[in-house]
Amino acid sequence: MTGSLIYKPLALTMGEPAGIGPELTVRLWREREKYSLPPFVFIGSSYALKLYDKNIPIQEVSSANQALECFANAIPVREIKLARDVIPGELDALNAPATIQSIRTAVEGTLKGDYAAVVTNPIHKANLYSAGFNHPGHTEFIADCCGEPIENSVMMLACEGLRVVPVTIHISLADVAKNITTERIVHKAVITATDLRDRFGITAPRLAIAALNPHAGEDGAMGIEEAIYIKPAIDRLRDLGINASGPHAADTLFHSDARKFYDAAICMYHDQALIPIKTLDFYGGVNITLGLSILRTSPDHGTALSLAGASTARVDSLLNALRVAANVSMGISYE
């Protein structure tokens, strides 16, 4: 993708304040020159940052220009107060509203053009439900904040050399086959191809469509979903002008030579997509939300409550989430 540079900071949400998000934020900022860290505004509690680094310099900001001007010397913060003090590793439902407000504020600011993209620190969904959070996760909530249909948001996981999109996500394996439809495959594949072209600069995206069953069903001997749902989806995608191939047996889809022939793999269920990503790059994978009017990335890990405050959690995934958001926003080609 080509285009003029976007000199705007990223909006980095607080995430669960008792988790590793704020800690990773201050550790990355401390090494901002080493990592060539893209500028961001931390949307959340300055207390949550100082909890993990009491000497971290912080400056409250009200504009993108202020954030860019101070980033070299202090973390720019859009303050959102917590209800109670945080104990690292211990959830507190009273602080859940601040976590939710952090996400909403980041999305609203990005929609207004204040920020280039949203990068979200991990949340603890169960802790948010008591505060009225009624979405399956970040992705659906962000779509709702954008005023867009939840089904338009598509989760893509990426690391160097591989991008994957699961058609079904957080459902039991027993329910996967019942939720595979031609329409669902086409819908997610079209959004994936569109964003790969328009945001990632891949002029003619190549999609590999994974099979559901072993050996791609082996002509019906091991399952009929390929014939009934997946092959018709591939035919429809080709009719739409999308370079889609498959159904590919999943056990041969992710080795190094196979990955040279596609830009993203459309997978049928959660683990089929995430196992190869986490095998290739367990610490550095990035979650990217496609299909919305704003770009959102996040680290591909959770709150890691047991690691909070120990300074042992790795920064790789959050660093890559910030880099991907900045690079895509600035129109850097990924082809």
Side-chain angles (χ1 to χ4, degrees):
M1 179 185 290
T2 59
S4 59
L5 296 181
I6 301 174
Y7 291 105
K8 295 179 182 178
L10 303 168
L12 176 61
T13 68
M14 176 172 60
E16 169 53 53
I20 61 173
E23 177 187 334
L24 295 180
T25 299
V26 297
R27 286 171 53 198
L28 279 174
W29 186 86
R30 285 291 192 193
E31 299 193 85
R32 58 199 176 282
E33 294 181 0
K34 170 185 173 181
Y35 293 125
S36 299
L37 198 65
F40 59 78
V41 176
F42 181 77
I43 314 290
S45 167
S46 55
Y47 167 85
L49 298 177
K50 286 187 174 293
L51 181 66
Y52 299 99
D53 185 342
K54 64 181 181 180
N55 296 316
I56 195 78
I58 287 170
Q59 181 172 327
E60 289 192 43
V61 297
S62 58
S63 71
N65 286 338
Q66 280 184 307
L68 294 174
E69 290 168 0
C70 80
F71 189 77
N73 301 307
I75 297 182
V77 172
R78 175 81 180 271
E79 187 69 32
I80 294 178
K81 298 292 184 182
L82 294 170
R84 289 207 296 204
D85 289 351
V86 174
I87 300 174
E90 295 188 16
L91 298 172
D92 189 335
L94 291 179
N95 285 329
T99 301
I100 296 169
Q101 185 58 43
S102 170
I103 304 167
R104 184 178 289 110
T105 300
V107 172
E108 289 173 351
T110 306
L111 287 170
K112 289 194 302 181
D114 295 338
Y115 312 116
V118 174
V119 181
T120 56
N121 268 310
I123 59 173
H124 194 286
K125 292 189 289 291
N127 197 47
L128 301 186
Y129 292 147
S130 62
F133 190 85
N134 57 3
H135 294 79
H138 252 134
T139 304
E140 296 84 359
F141 180 58
I142 290 171
D144 195 32
C145 289
C146 288
E148 300 178 41
I150 290 175
E151 60 269 20
N152 282 4
S153 62
V154 169
M155 182 177 77
M156 181 171 77
L157 288 302
C159 68
E160 185 174 353
L162 180 62
R163 302 179 188 92
V164 294
V165 172
V167 172
T168 64
I169 306 178
H170 296 129
I171 61 174
S172 72
L173 194 57
D175 292 331
V176 167
K178 294 180 287 186
N179 284 274
I180 297 295
T181 67
T182 297
E183 291 72 22
R184 186 166 287 144
I185 296 167
V186 170
H187 176 73
K188 294 210 171 187
V190 167
I191 289 175
T192 302
T194 300
D195 267 25
L196 288 179
R197 183 191 67 221
D198 295 346
R199 281 197 163 121
F200 287 78
I202 301 174
T203 54
R206 302 163 300 167
L207 302 184
I209 314 299
L212 173 65
N213 297 297
H215 302 284
E218 204 161 277
D219 295 324
M222 297 183 184
I224 59 174
E225 287 80 10
E226 285 74 20
I228 295 178
Y229 304 115
I230 302 176
K231 287 181 180 178
I234 294 169
D235 291 340
R236 194 178 303 176
L237 290 167
R238 289 171 177 168
D239 289 342
L240 294 171
I242 294 173
N243 183 349
S245 62
H248 297 284
D251 63 346
T252 59
L253 185 55
F254 300 108
H255 65 85
S256 57
D257 286 340
R259 298 198 308 271
K260 297 174 184 177
F261 297 99
Y262 60 85
D263 299 298
I266 308 298
C267 302
M268 294 302 113
Y269 56 96
H270 181 278
D271 284 10
Q272 189 183 64
L274 271 69
I275 286 173
I277 282 282
K278 291 180 182 290
T279 300
L280 286 173
D281 192 353
F282 182 77
Y283 295 106
V286 177
N287 185 340
I288 305 167
T289 301
L290 308 178
L292 300 179
S293 53
I294 64 170
L295 176 68
R296 174 261 182 156
T297 67
S298 74
D300 184 24
H301 59 66
T303 55
L305 294 170
S306 63
L307 301 180
S311 297
T312 57
R314 292 181 55 146
V315 301
D316 312 46
S317 191
L318 178 57
L319 174 61
N320 287 341
L322 289 162
R323 285 174 169 170
V324 169
N327 290 342
V328 173
S329 298
M330 291 191 296
I332 294 176
S333 176
Y334 277 76
E335 189 166 25

